[in-house]
Amino acid sequence: MSLVDESLETLDHLVEGMPNGECRPGQQEMTRIAADAISRGGHAIVNAGTGTGKSLAYLIPVAHSSKRTVIVTVTKALQDQLVSKELPALSRHRFPLIKYTKLKGRNNYLCLQRLDEVLSDNPFTLAGLENTDKQIHKEKLRAIARFAETSKTGDRADLRVDLTDRQWRSLSVTAEECPGAIHCPRGEDCFTERARDKASRADVVVVNTHLFALSLKLQHLLADYETVVVDEAHQFEDIVAKTLSNRLNPSRLTTLARNARHLKLDNEACAAIIEAAEELSNYLIPLSGKYLRNGVTDFSHILNAANRHVEKLHKELSEKISGIHVAVKPLAQRVLKSAQNLLDDLEVLTNPNNSNIFFWVEEIPPRSKMRSPTLNATPFRVDKLLAEMVWNKKTAVLTSATITQSLQKSLGLPDSARFADVGSPFNYRQNALLYCPTRLPLSGREKNPQETTRRLDELVALIEAAQGRTLALYTSYKALDAAAEVMRKRLRWPVLVQNSKPKARLLEEFTANEHASLFATLAFWQGVDVPGRSCSLVVIDKLPFPRPGEPQRDARHEKVVEEGKNPFLLIDIPIATILFAQGVGRLIRTKTDRGVVAVFDHRLVTKPYGSNFQVLVPPMSFTENRWEAIDFLRAIISADSPRQSDAERRRPARNV
């Protein structure tokens, strides 16, 4: 029996054994496509709408193939779902011998050596703990020590002790500083090494996109897999490019110099590095969030000075490390590794001759405790690297609910890769209405207060018809805050606003109170799953085009213009359409969900490029009539069963 036939048979068997299991043609088709690609060693790109059941569609062929597979995802929720739900189900019902695990980045695991140093009274080891928070309570440290003795994973997610990120950094190490098990006194017990050893023996390893990209950079982690499945593939290119960036924050230089002083290394070199860090910070702060059109020319002298002195410390420590006192040797190994990684980054930053790299300064996040932003050297394109290191060597299946055929070229996939759209099992035409009030002025371009009032009146009318139950998505904090302030005054139901509480807490409250409305920006456009009556209305304030001034957007625009091409068509529209489709996708999460997506941007209808947005969203009914949208929402409130409103019957809706 072929891999395709085996996979389809197993899918039927599993579906029959599930509560409320049902045949989904899209899931069957995706299973067929994935199995065919894996059996012939090819590549498949599958656009699979919400509700397809894409996880089983690729997991079943993977399990039958007996090929070592890495599954790459973006969100923690999907990683947990795969490891705690789908893979165990396969193991119980069909594949009892399959081995699977989840692997995270090194800094997610407790470092036993760092814990020993924090618990130690030795001034030499404590002096080297740059990010140690003196406020870690002794009772917490005792609880962490007990966790270290009993935990099988050492994973922060399993630690039931409330720690700040800064406190956790004092108990973990990054890949940039860890010297490896062979140079660490606790190397034999290392939680990270245990996790990696388990992954090396597993048939299926689930990782996030960042770790997968890091493995390409390191060229040894996850090297022996045969098949790669990329889920949430619409974000793959962007995350890979950012991960492959060479990055430098002045704090890395300062930390290295301070730790080098604890090791009694060249004091003049340490002082020079600290001075370079301060000068670099002064240059970068005014450039926060900007694309550097001239590269690092204006402050290359600082980077060159830092490079010389870091190289001096690295050479000195390399010569001395064998004779360093055993009490501080772990610190010395970390400093040596940090210095080497700094030199690797500085080599790229001080020799900017690669035409595939652009320089930009990362913006300091709001309310962040960071004192200076980070300098980045990021590749324009990752297609050739991915082709060379992945697609030419591995079988690949890529999937998402918002994939376009342009992904094939941007990721460097071969022409032989098969693209398919298997749709969604949901009845969008009956259960969802896309509403675009074309008479409203564009957000941010209102000519007078009366036009602003009209937009807000429209929003109030829709939310009142939905009796709350609204996820309002904005492209700027300014527009969000202005709308939320008015809604708090005019609505009788709770209004939740992004950043007022942690994201997880906001989603919990939004889900629990079906009359609440949640106002949010880009962080909530994707990866948010609120099924049922809590979300009956999604409002999109504006088409999410990347804004001028965003460094990655500006850099790529300039590159495309140099090539004589249209950046709006090649960059802005693809980015905006995928994010728009993700935002629309927050509405219908199950086959019984009903609701309205209201797009307060007339360009969806009035501009020729609006068809690009309409093509990528599910085939909802469409209207420009306010009362049709309000009647649709009122019908949802008044009855649980899907039923067309009188307005819908009076005026036929058209497909998008």
Side-chain angles (χ1 to χ4, degrees), residues 610-618 656:
S611 59
N612 295 76
F613 291 84
Q614 296 177 25
V615 164
L616 202 56
V617 301
V656 176

Side-chain angles (χ1 to χ4, degrees), residues 456-471:
L456 295 172
D457 287 345
E458 185 79 20
L459 182 57
V460 169
L462 291 171
I463 296 177
E464 286 184 339
Q467 294 188 11
R469 305 181 184 187
T470 299
L471 175 63

Side-chain angles (χ1 to χ4, degrees), residues 388-516:
E388 178 184 345
M389 300 190 70
V390 185
W391 318 134
N392 293 347
K393 301 176 181 179
K394 317 290 183 182
T395 297
V397 176
L398 297 90
T399 186
S400 170
T402 51
I403 287 184
T404 61
Q405 284 187 278
S406 63
L407 186 78
Q408 183 170 343
K409 184 177 181 180
S410 64
L411 291 181
L413 284 152
D415 293 338
S416 59
R418 178 180 178 183
F419 178 85
D421 187 338
V422 300
S424 168
F426 298 157
N427 189 342
Y428 283 96
R429 179 169 172 77
Q430 179 177 330
N431 292 346
L433 180 67
L434 181 61
Y435 165 51
C436 183
T438 54
R439 68 190 184 283
L440 290 182
L442 195 63
S443 177
R445 299 185 188 174
E446 299 94 336
K447 297 177 182 178
N448 52 59
Q450 288 75 21
E451 289 191 344
T452 302
T453 300
R454 282 172 55 204
R455 288 180 62 85
L456 295 172
D457 287 345
E458 185 79 20
L459 182 57
V460 169
L462 291 171
I463 296 177
E464 286 184 339
Q467 294 188 11
R469 305 181 184 187
T470 299
L471 175 63
L473 299 173
Y474 288 78
T475 58
S476 74
Y477 280 104
K478 181 179 179 181
L480 180 153
D481 292 338
E485 182 180 358
V486 173
M487 293 305 111
R488 284 196 182 103
K489 296 174 182 177
R490 297 183 60 179
L491 295 174
R492 50 186 163 151
W493 301 290
V495 173
L496 307 173
V497 181
Q498 182 179 338
N499 288 337
S500 62
K501 296 176 184 178
K503 182 178 180 180
R505 178 75 181 278
L506 283 172
L507 288 173
E508 286 175 6
E509 293 187 15
F510 180 53
T511 303
N513 186 345
E514 69 174 47
H515 292 296

Side-chain angles (χ1 to χ4, degrees), residues 435 439 457-458 461-462 623-631:
Y435 165 51
R439 68 190 184 283
D457 287 345
E458 185 79 20
L462 291 171
T623 186
E624 297 175 24
N625 186 298
R626 176 187 194 182
W627 293 107
E628 287 187 11
I630 287 175
D631 284 349

Side-chain angles (χ1 to χ4, degrees), residues 518-628:
L518 174 56
F519 284 67
T521 58
L522 296 177
F524 286 72
W525 283 63
Q526 49 192 337
V528 171
D529 187 17
V530 183
R533 293 166 64 90
S534 292
C535 186
S536 299
L537 172 63
V538 170
V539 176
I540 293 178
D541 183 60
K542 202 172 184 180
L543 297 180
F545 287 109
R547 295 189 304 274
E550 293 180 353
Q552 294 100 318
R553 179 261 186 200
D554 288 356
R556 293 189 169 106
H557 260 240
E558 190 173 276
K559 182 78 169 178
V560 169
V561 169
E562 288 175 359
E563 296 170 352
K565 300 173 183 177
N566 188 329
F568 182 71
L569 294 178
L570 295 179
I571 296 173
D572 292 354
I573 287 180
I575 291 173
T577 52
I578 289 175
L579 188 52
F580 175 76
Q582 285 287 319
V584 171
R586 297 316 95 205
L587 180 69
I588 303 295
R589 307 305 299 171
T590 71
K591 66 179 181 180
T592 59
D593 287 352
R594 300 188 71 208
V596 171
V597 176
V599 182
F600 284 18
D601 191 330
H602 59 74
R603 294 176 296 180
L604 180 68
V605 175
T606 60
K607 295 293 185 181
Y609 57 74
S611 59
N612 295 76
F613 291 84
Q614 296 177 25
V615 164
L616 202 56
V617 301
M620 301 176 174
S621 297
F622 177 84
T623 186
E624 297 175 24
N625 186 298
R626 176 187 194 182
W627 293 107
E628 287 187 11

Side-chain angles (χ1 to χ4, degrees), residues 74-145:
V74 175
T75 60
K76 181 179 182 295
L78 181 53
Q79 293 170 39
D80 291 341
Q81 176 185 319
L82 291 171
V83 175
S84 63
K85 184 179 177 183
E86 268 90 354
L87 284 165
L90 285 178
S91 179
R92 285 194 305 271
H93 297 293
R94 204 75 168 188
F95 304 96
L97 299 181
I98 191 171
K99 297 177 182 177
Y100 55 88
T101 189
K102 179 168 61 176
L103 184 62
K104 298 182 178 181
R106 188 175 289 276
N107 63 324
N108 289 280
Y109 301 97
L110 177 68
C111 174
L112 295 172
Q113 177 58 33
R114 296 297 294 268
L115 177 61
D116 286 349
E117 293 171 2
V118 170
L119 293 171
S120 170
D121 290 328
N122 189 318
F124 289 103
T125 57
L126 283 176
L129 295 174
E130 175 59 27
N131 284 314
T132 298
D133 191 324
K134 305 290 186 183
Q135 302 304 313
I136 300 182
H137 196 276
K138 289 184 178 179
E139 288 187 9
K140 285 188 177 182
L141 285 176
R142 283 194 289 268
I144 295 167

